[in-house]
Amino acid sequence: DAKTTQPNSMESNEEEPVHLPCNHSTISGTDYIHWYRQLPSQGPEYVIHGLTSNVNNRMASLAIAEDRKSSTLILHRATLRDAAVYYCILRYSGAGSYQLTFGKGTKLSVIP
Amino acid sequence: DGGITQSPKYLFRKEGQNVTLSCEQNLNHDAMYWYRQDPGQGLRLIYYSQIVNDFQKGDIAEGYSVSREKKESFPLTVTSAQKNPTAFYLCASSTGLAGFYEQYFGPGTRLTVT
């Protein structure tokens, strides 16, 4: 899987929007962009994924750059429950892409 | 509610003993996975299974064994041959193996071997 680069940490005030960036300059045309998050001592939680177009779901939005070399996870109103480590992961869509390769991720702190 | 259950949440064992970690899913997913996470580290794949009665080694399979006799269940045995078994073990499942499927994780089992 191609590599991603994320900031080590970010802070946000509660109830404000949060934009978590991810750079993936070596992404290939068949790589999906996945986001997961992990709270302390819990299993990772799927957040959202996309290929080319922006995506929305009940948890977040994913904005993908036109050249696909970067993407941004948007949490529309941060809550204390959103404090977690967020991982941006590229996954090849074809056969053999069976595991998730987690990097360091971005640790998001939410300030009350 | 659909989801993945892992039991127990905490497990303590003496060195030299085999131990089996349970993983059950009711999401009707074909694919299941076992990962290991060490403090401050990412996940490493131990075993995965695409379908019942079939499973493949991941990156760190030595000292572990699995079975997949039912679609819902994918137990992991940590054998005495595993040199550093103390870790956080995570089970996951997905509709299939392809990269456009999301994986759903259980709450994890924290194993401590002394």
Side-chain angles (χ1 to χ4, degrees):
Chain A
D1 291 326
K3 189 174 174 174
T4 63
T5 304
Q6 299 177 252
N8 289 334
S9 62
M10 290 184 66
E11 271 188 0
S12 173
N13 292 320
E14 196 176 7
E15 298 194 2
E16 289 189 355
V18 182
H19 291 233
L20 296 163
C22 181
N23 287 320
H24 29 78
S25 58
T26 59
I27 190 170
S28 77
T30 50
D31 285 342
Y32 278 77
I33 302 161
H34 287 250
W35 283 82
Y36 286 77
R37 69 183 186 183
Q38 188 172 22
L39 279 68
S41 298
Q42 294 189 27
E45 179 183 25
Y46 165 77
V47 178
I48 199 166
H49 76 284
L51 184 62
T52 56
S53 303
N54 294 345
V55 184
N56 300 297
N57 66 20
R58 64 173 180 83
M59 289 182 70
S61 295
L62 176 60
I64 301 173
E66 198 168 332
D67 64 4
R68 301 210 326 126
K69 293 187 177 182
S70 66
S71 60
T72 302
L73 178 71
I74 302 166
L75 306 179
H76 296 287
R77 288 183 64 189
T79 69
L80 296 178
R81 197 191 166 282
D82 292 321
V85 179
Y86 286 79
Y87 298 96
C88 170
I89 300 164
L90 300 184
R91 295 196 66 205
Y92 172 60
S93 59
S97 175
Y98 37 81
Q99 67 176 309
L100 291 172
T101 303
F102 283 61
K104 298 286 186 186
T106 297
K107 184 173 182 179
L108 174 67
S109 301
V110 179
I111 303 165
Chain B
D1 279 339
I4 300 178
T5 56
Q6 291 185 245
S7 60
K9 190 172 176 65
Y10 298 95
L11 192 53
F12 298 88
R13 279 294 182 269
K14 295 286 188 188
E15 199 172 314
Q17 293 179 334
N18 291 355
V19 59
T20 297
L21 281 58
S22 166
C23 176
E24 304 278 331
Q25 55 100 357
N26 61 2
L27 300 167
N28 200 32
H29 284 166
D30 284 319
M32 295 188 75
Y33 315 77
W34 274 105
Y35 292 90
R36 168 185 172 138
Q37 187 174 35
D38 293 286
Q41 304 296 314
L43 276 63
R44 291 186 289 169
L45 184 66
I46 305 172
Y47 268 97
Y48 66 100
S49 168
Q50 187 174 6
I51 199 167
V52 173
N53 292 324
D54 180 70
F55 48 83
Q56 305 296 328
K57 292 181 180 180
D59 295 334
I60 55 163
E62 186 175 347
Y64 299 98
S65 66
V66 294
S67 63
R68 186 91 187 271
E69 297 175 1
K70 297 187 299 181
K71 187 175 185 177
E72 307 80 33
S73 179
F74 191 41
L76 173 75
T77 296
V78 184
T79 75
S80 56
Q82 168 49 234
K83 293 189 173 114
N84 297 299
T86 295
F88 189 41
Y89 290 88
L90 290 156
C91 179
S93 72
S94 62
T95 304
L97 291 181
F100 46 77
Y101 291 121
E102 60 270 29
Q103 293 187 12
Y104 293 93
F105 287 82
T109 292
R110 194 169 296 278
L111 173 65
T112 302
V113 176
T114 57

